[in-house]
Amino acid sequence: MEQVKSKKRVADHGEVFTNIREVNAMLDLVKQETERIDSRFLEPACGNGNFLAEVLNRKLNVVDSRYGKSQVEWEHYSIIALTSIYGVDILEDNAQECRNRLFDIFNDRYTNLFGQNCKDECRRSIRFLLSRNILWGDALDFTNPETKAPIVFSEWSAATGSMLKRRDYVFRFLVEKTHQFSLFNDQGDAAAIDEPVKDFPLVHFLKLGEDDTY
Ligand SMILES: C[S@@+](CC[C@H](N)C(=O)[O-])C[C@H]1O[C@@H](n2cnc3c(N)ncnc32)[C@H](O)[C@@H]1O
């Protein structure tokens, strides 16, 4: 993959993509976390997703080895893997490329494993999660570059059975209150960090994006 798209983009946005060797060397520094299905990763200048793609690959390797024999479990844990991967980029095309790339990584594995038994609703859930988790935004002023609306992230947590809980948070609060780029409280109670701006009812993991309310 090319590391530079154009000189103008390098000059305007510092857009130089990291090559896979460096990506893997850096991820190896937190190897255990990259292999934990529900560990949260946020990349505030994600480009087209070089780091996030590899995080997803590593998580899905674990999902394959643990749940490859059970379609429903594989679907559930792949969705959990995706719920905890976040990115922001100031260029809209990068955010879209990153979403498409993560979707393709998921979908290639899904299709290879389960072929004709794959469910469109599972793919819809993944697309919906990517639309919520990979955002077009300026990570320095915490807004959308065009609308200036504040960046709002969704926290996803696994509830009993097949259900997921979504809570939305304003990105600025997450950063300011924790004084670092840590997203939510990974081990504990996200509500301890801040009040969510919106709290959603529980939803089945295959029903994400089914209607406008979610
Ligand atoms: C050096 S590239 C790195 C991309 C990716 N992280 C990688 O390692 O391949 C920097 C990226 O940051 C984005 N960027 C620059 N300023 C930004 C800002 N204020 N907020 C969010 N993204 C920004 C650029 O569009 C570009 O995709």
Side-chain angles (χ1 to χ4, degrees), residues 17-171:
F17 297 119
T18 310
N19 102 16
I20 183 75
R21 205 183 43 218
E22 274 82 48
V23 168
N24 274 316
M26 287 172 73
L27 290 181
D28 283 345
L29 299 172
V30 288
K31 192 163 188 296
Q32 265 192 320
E33 287 301 306
T34 62
E35 291 168 354
R36 192 160 66 82
I37 295 170
D38 60 351
S39 63
R40 287 196 179 100
F41 280 81
L42 163 66
E43 213 195 335
C46 66
N48 59 10
N50 286 324
F51 282 89
L52 299 181
E54 196 44 39
V55 168
L56 180 59
N57 269 322
R58 290 178 179 213
K59 287 180 172 212
L60 291 182
N61 287 342
V62 177
V63 176
D64 281 357
S65 69
R66 285 198 200 145
Y67 306 108
K69 291 196 168 64
S70 157
Q71 181 170 345
V72 73
E73 286 190 289
W74 191 92
E75 290 166 342
H76 192 185
Y77 285 99
S78 297
I79 283 175
I80 302 246
L82 242 306
T83 59
S84 46
I85 292 180
Y86 295 88
V88 178
D89 201 278
I90 200 165
L91 295 175
E92 191 176 16
D93 63 333
N94 279 348
Q96 189 54 49
E97 231 180 274
C98 181
R99 286 183 205 113
N100 290 342
R101 184 169 171 190
L102 298 182
F103 179 82
D104 289 345
I105 289 173
F106 160 83
N107 196 40
D108 286 352
R109 287 181 184 243
Y110 189 39
T111 309
N112 280 338
L113 275 172
F114 304 111
Q116 295 209 329
N117 294 324
C118 291
K119 304 180 188 110
D120 283 344
E121 52 180 357
C122 184
R123 296 189 172 110
R124 182 189 58 202
S125 283
I126 295 286
R127 284 244 183 249
F128 183 76
L129 282 171
L130 289 168
S131 76
R132 280 300 318 132
N133 283 15
I134 309 296
L135 300 179
W136 172 34
D138 184 336
L140 294 178
D141 73 1
F142 319 113
T143 65
N144 175 286
E146 196 171 84
T147 64
K148 295 294 166 198
I151 297 174
V152 173
F153 270 122
S154 300
E155 178 211 33
W156 306 94
S157 32
T160 40
S162 305
M163 306 304 274
L164 291 175
K165 175 77 182 167
R166 169 180 168 188
R167 288 191 192 91
D168 283 1
Y169 291 83
V170 175
F171 185 42

Side-chain angles (χ1 to χ4, degrees), residues 166-182:
R166 169 180 168 188
R167 288 191 192 91
D168 283 1
Y169 291 83
V170 175
F171 185 42
R172 177 166 34 92
F173 290 164
L174 293 171
V175 178
E176 285 172 359
K177 288 276 167 98
T178 57
H179 300 288
Q180 57 178 334
F181 272 131
S182 74

